[in-house]
Amino acid sequence: MDQVLSFPDKLSRSLATQQSKLAGKLDRQTEKYLQRLLRQEKKLRRKLDSKDSLMANQLGLGSDSLVNSWKNVLSADSINISSLPAQYSGKLDSMNTALKFLKEQPGLNGISTAQYDKLMQQYGGLQGQLNQTEQLKKLVQERKQLLMDKLANSGVSKQLKQYQKQVFYYQQQLQEYRAALENPQMLEKKALEVLSKVPAFRKYFDKFSQLGSMFRLPGQTEDMDPSAMLAGLQTRQNVLAELNNRLGGSANTQQAMANGFKEGQSELSSLKSKLTSSLNRGEPVDMPGFKPNTEKSKSFLKRLELGTNMQSTRANNYFPTTSDLGLSVGYKLNPKSIIGIGASYKVGWGESIRKIRVTHEGMGLRTFFDWKIKGKIWATGGGEWNYRSRFDNLSVVKSISQWQQSALLGMQMKQSVGKYKATASLLYDALWQNQVPKAQPVLFRVGYNF
């Protein structure tokens, strides 16, 4: 418990950093996507003006005032954040309840009123940011639905589809932002972990948390009359009796009821099948045929993939035993395509186990493109520029004419190993015969991606 009572000041500083960082991220991403939506609306207007200019004016297509009204949701000066519908957050509910519990315990003096008020204010700020994201999501969704309803038969389906895509990606971005808000920090995890071992806190949470006020949680039933738990619940016999009283108990009525149930079940099964099929194909339910790029809503850094690989070559008449150590960085265009650059260093180990000598035998620059075929199998290819002579300093970088080119194409297998991916590549060098001395035509490399 002493660990919990010593954390308020650290938690307050951490919350301040989190709020500032997430608010800045939301502002930047919202500005970017709203400008994209504005451009799409202007395209819609140009297309619609020649067909129905009156409708274009009524909808206010491409209006800066509309976008500004959305931006105002992010401004505390233009809108009362507390007036927005509150969105439930498991993290905020748990932390607010934990702080109230610590403050109300008479034997614990580790959290002062000032600390409590400051933390509750900061969590209120996070709740406001959460409400803002949901309000923005709602406004953009309502605008999309309005345009779809009004312009469904206006001959602007191509532009409307592009608008829907931008709305989808913006909503995905808001979803990632919300996930960041919901993700507990290390101090919060530790505090809740310690408190969860205190029986008094578990009982307090069951009764006074927001979740506890909505549902009967385990532990609360001990204070209830068992007969009261069944009050108001309808049995199957009660439902059938009520239907018979309203519709009559004849055989025809019962047959009609059975047919109605059967038709309802058939329709429900059909809808379930369509929903399952759409989700399995990775398509949004309201946009059949559109397969979203799940990487598009991620930040630039989260789309980067670091990789390492190694390739060894036996000693020959020209070179000692060598190992090529490569480092690369790839950018995920989509879940099936990665493009990137890299560099390599060739280290020499000597002629044999009895003549070990570490030398600098060369270096290289690389470009690559990976394309997923199926499962763990990827097609890979790229170009390389290699310096294949021993060197003692980096002045060789200036002698580009002495660098030799390679054109590689092959297959790669990626196997998940915990958080990382182990890779094994088999590559063919189409320019191996042009190199002096001739290099290996087939290369085998192993490595890891992070």
Side-chain angles (χ1 to χ4, degrees):
M1 186 59 69
D2 291 337
Q3 296 176 24
V4 176
L5 297 177
S6 64
F7 87 108
D9 290 334
K10 293 181 181 179
L11 178 59
S12 180
R13 291 192 296 269
S14 179
L15 286 174
T17 302
Q18 183 190 33
Q19 278 184 286
S20 176
K21 181 179 179 180
L22 291 178
K25 180 179 179 181
L26 180 61
D27 287 342
R28 291 191 300 271
Q29 293 298 330
T30 295
E31 175 68 26
K32 180 177 72 173
Y33 277 99
L34 291 188
Q35 287 302 321
R36 290 180 181 178
L37 290 176
L38 183 61
R39 288 195 294 270
Q40 290 299 328
E41 285 207 11
K42 289 180 177 179
K43 290 181 181 179
L44 275 169
R45 186 181 186 100
R46 288 195 295 268
K47 185 73 173 180
L48 193 61
D49 274 340
S50 60
K51 300 181 179 184
D52 192 344
S53 58
L54 180 60
M55 177 65 73
N57 289 329
Q58 289 177 347
L59 294 174
L61 289 173
S63 171
D64 290 325
S65 60
L66 176 66
V67 174
N68 289 334
S69 68
W70 290 347
K71 291 181 183 178
N72 286 340
V73 176
L74 298 176
S75 174
D77 298 331
S78 61
I79 187 171
N80 185 5
I81 295 177
S82 62
S83 67
L84 297 176
Q87 301 296 318
Y88 179 76
S89 166
K91 165 189 166 178
L92 297 181
D93 186 17
S94 298
M95 292 307 301
N96 286 337
T97 306
L99 291 173
K100 291 176 183 177
F101 171 79
L102 292 174
K103 187 173 182 295
E104 294 177 9
Q105 304 310 303
L108 302 177
N109 300 315
I111 181 168
S112 66
T113 301
Q115 289 174 326
Y116 171 81
D117 291 341
K118 184 177 181 179
L119 286 172
M120 291 299 288
Q121 183 180 7
Q122 288 179 307
Y123 278 116
L126 289 178
Q127 180 68 60
Q129 289 179 311
L130 186 62
N131 296 344
Q132 286 175 315
T133 62
E134 290 303 311
Q135 184 69 8
L136 282 169
K137 186 176 179 180
K138 179 182 177 181
L139 291 173
V140 173
Q141 179 65 25
E142 288 176 348
R143 179 65 174 175
K144 184 192 80 168
Q145 193 60 49
L146 175 64
L147 296 183
M148 290 177 62
D149 293 341
K150 296 292 185 180
L151 305 178
N153 301 315
S154 300
V156 292
S157 58
K158 182 179 179 181
Q159 290 77 13
L160 193 58
K161 189 174 183 179
Q162 290 299 319
Y163 186 87
Q164 288 178 269
K165 290 181 180 180
Q166 292 300 333
V167 170
F168 175 84
Y169 286 126
Y170 180 53
Q171 291 177 332
Q172 288 290 101
Q173 190 70 55
L174 290 176
Q175 193 65 31
E176 285 199 13
Y177 178 81
R178 172 164 184 158
L181 280 173
E182 290 274 18
N183 186 34
Q185 301 179 76
M186 186 181 300
L187 288 172
E188 295 169 328
K189 289 181 180 178
K190 186 63 177 176
L192 293 175
E193 179 183 343
V194 174
L195 284 173
S196 65
K197 299 176 182 179
V198 181
F201 172 72
R202 294 200 299 268
K203 190 171 182 179
Y204 184 90
F205 185 89
D206 290 347
K207 290 185 176 182
F208 299 108
S209 67
Q210 187 178 353
L211 184 64
S213 67
M214 294 188 292
F215 302 100
R216 284 293 174 182
L217 299 178
Q220 287 183 280
T221 55
E222 61 189 22
D223 302 324
M224 295 180 59
D225 180 4
S227 61
M229 298 177 63
L230 299 177
L233 296 179
Q234 296 193 49
T235 64
R236 181 174 181 272
Q237 289 77 7
N238 291 339
V239 174
L240 291 176
E242 181 65 22
L243 288 173
N244 285 330
N245 290 335
R246 293 191 179 191
L247 304 177
S250 66
N252 292 336
T253 300
Q254 294 181 358
Q255 183 62 37
M257 290 169 55
N259 292 338
F261 285 138
K262 187 175 181 180
E263 292 176 3
Q265 288 177 340
S266 177
E267 183 67 21
L268 184 61
S269 298
S270 177
L271 291 173
K272 182 180 178 181
S273 177
K274 291 179 181 179
L275 177 61
T276 303
S277 177
S278 178
L279 294 176
N280 287 339
R281 292 194 301 269
E283 301 172 357
V285 178
D286 60 343
M287 298 175 65
F290 169 53
K291 293 185 177 181
N293 179 3
T294 56
E295 298 294 331
K296 200 166 185 178
S297 60
K298 296 180 180 180
S299 65
F300 176 79
L301 292 178
K302 288 186 177 180
R303 297 178 71 170
L304 297 181
E305 182 179 77
L306 297 179
T308 62
N309 59 63
M310 184 182 71
Q311 162 199 329
S312 296
T313 307
R314 293 183 301 176
N316 54 39
N317 294 333
Y318 300 98
F319 301 109
T321 298
T322 60
S323 292
D324 284 84
L325 307 177
L327 180 66
S328 64
V329 57
Y331 180 75
K332 298 178 183 178
L333 300 175
N334 53 59
K336 292 187 176 182
S337 304
I338 302 174
I339 190 171
I341 58 174
S344 64
Y345 164 67
K346 187 186 293 289
V347 57
W349 303 110
E351 298 178 6
S352 66
I353 192 67
R354 296 180 180 179
K355 297 181 180 181
I356 295 178
R357 181 188 177 192
V358 178
T359 55
H360 310 297
E361 296 295 331
M363 63 177 64
L365 299 175
R366 302 173 176 178
T367 62
F368 68 90
F369 178 77
D370 295 342
W371 181 68
K372 188 175 184 179
I373 299 177
K374 186 177 182 181
K376 305 173 185 177
I377 307 300
W378 294 64
T380 184
E384 294 187 0
W385 292 262
N386 295 298
Y387 184 81
R388 300 181 182 276
S389 300
R390 184 175 298 178
F391 66 93
D392 296 319
N393 57 66
L394 295 178
S395 61
V396 297
V397 176
K398 301 178 182 179
S399 306
I400 299 297
S401 60
Q402 300 180 25
W403 290 54
Q404 302 187 42
Q405 299 179 9
S406 294
L408 304 176
L409 184 65
M411 305 295 291
Q412 184 179 78
M413 185 175 73
K414 297 184 179 182
Q415 175 66 48
S416 297
V417 181
K419 296 181 180 180
Y420 313 116
K421 289 183 179 179
T423 63
S425 305
L426 188 63
L427 305 166
Y428 174 73
D429 186 354
L431 302 179
W432 70 278
Q433 293 183 336
N434 299 335
Q435 298 169 10
V436 180
K438 291 183 180 180
Q440 295 180 193
V442 179
L443 307 177
F444 180 72
R445 294 172 178 170
V446 295
Y448 282 93
N449 288 343
F450 306 93

